[in-house]
Amino acid sequence: MNPQVEFNLALILFIPWFSILAWLFWAYPRQPRGGARTLFDSASLILATAAAFWGMHWSMLNADPQAGAIWKQVLATSIAYGLFLLVMTTAIALRWRWLRGRTASPDTTGPLTGKVES
């Protein structure tokens, strides 16, 4: 196997699954959507991918060579997946709190509510 492919195999094999998780993170909840949310979601996905990439490379370089070649791949896959999920879980929790805070105090006065400010 090509050494470069072998070194990046864990990330290559997880691209479809990471893409599905990224799409779900990006698509839900559908509202509210704005510039700040788009920036937060983009930064979260970039950070999650970078963490997975770093973790995969770190584990390939630090795996015990006496355990066999497959151990490097198993460790790289586990670390990359764990870091990706850690960053995405943290981002989901932060986004949930942020969005909940934005919708928790709606404006109860104005022309659409029928109430008039005093």
Side-chain angles (χ1 to χ4, degrees):
M1 179 183 299
N2 182 331
Q4 194 64 24
V5 171
E6 182 180 355
F7 195 65
N8 293 301
L9 187 61
L11 196 59
I12 292 168
L13 293 175
F14 267 101
I15 285 174
W17 181 236
F18 285 171
S19 298
I20 292 168
L21 292 176
W23 179 82
L24 288 170
F25 175 76
W26 189 270
Y28 295 102
R30 295 194 186 276
Q31 295 298 330
R33 178 111 12 222
R37 162 114 184 254
T38 300
L39 182 64
F40 178 82
D41 288 356
S42 298
S44 299
L45 291 169
I46 290 169
L47 182 62
T49 304
F53 185 79
W54 175 83
M56 178 196 59
H57 281 238
W58 178 88
S59 60
M60 288 293 286
L61 295 172
N62 291 296
D64 185 6
Q66 295 178 356
I70 193 68
W71 172 244
K72 286 184 173 187
Q73 294 299 328
V74 170
L75 183 63
T77 301
S78 300
I79 298 293
Y81 188 53
L83 287 173
F84 187 87
L85 288 181
L86 175 69
V87 172
M88 294 308 299
T89 302
T90 304
I92 288 169
L94 290 173
R95 186 177 67 182
W96 178 74
R97 289 186 65 168
W98 172 46
L99 293 177
R100 193 179 85 181
R102 287 179 62 188
T103 58
S105 57
D107 186 13
T108 57
T109 61
L112 297 177
T113 62
K115 296 180 182 178
V116 180
E117 288 185 41
S118 313

